[in-house]
Amino acid sequence: MIPAQLEINAHTWILIAIMFAGTFGLRLTPFVVRAWLADNETLNTLGRLMPVGVMVILVVYSFSGIVDDGLVPAVIGIVVTAALHLWRHQMLISIVGGVGAYGLALLLF
């Protein structure tokens, strides 16, 4: 026997169906709208510039929190990360090497 609190009535099923339809519709919308906006110059420009903009914002935000630890270790970490990425074009190697260089620079400086 199911307790009264766990019974699923028609009202609950309607709410579940509405939530399913809303979630499915929101996830389907970009694929439907993409065909209509493929030739939009503004969206194409944003698609090219947004990744760079997001990375700039992340770097500036990261630098704002390291003023107490010193700027030299952060610059060393960024230079090593950029150099490894330009050399190998492998994100994992770049991230691990940059974090390692930053940690080592924190110990030395």
Side-chain angles (χ1 to χ4, degrees):
M1 181 153 55
I2 299 175
Q5 296 171 343
L6 295 178
E7 286 186 29
I8 298 178
N9 55 22
H11 183 262
T12 305
W13 284 111
I14 292 171
L15 288 176
I16 290 172
I18 291 171
M19 288 187 293
F20 173 79
T23 301
F24 188 74
L26 286 173
R27 296 193 185 256
L28 183 66
T29 300
F31 298 105
V32 173
V33 174
R34 186 175 79 187
W36 297 334
L37 299 176
D39 297 331
N40 189 327
E41 188 175 326
T42 303
L43 288 180
N44 289 335
T45 302
L46 283 175
R48 282 192 321 271
L49 296 178
M50 284 297 287
V52 175
V54 168
M55 290 307 296
V56 167
I57 290 171
L58 287 173
V59 168
V60 169
Y61 178 76
S62 296
F63 269 116
S64 70
I66 60 155
V67 174
D68 297 333
D69 293 334
L71 198 58
V72 174
V75 171
I76 290 172
I78 288 175
V79 167
V80 168
T81 302
L84 285 173
H85 190 71
L86 290 173
W87 177 48
R88 299 296 292 176
H89 296 285
Q90 298 248 338
M91 190 172 294
L92 182 62
I93 293 173
S94 303
I95 292 171
V96 170
V99 170
Y102 175 67
L104 188 63
L106 278 177
L107 290 174
L108 296 176
F109 292 102

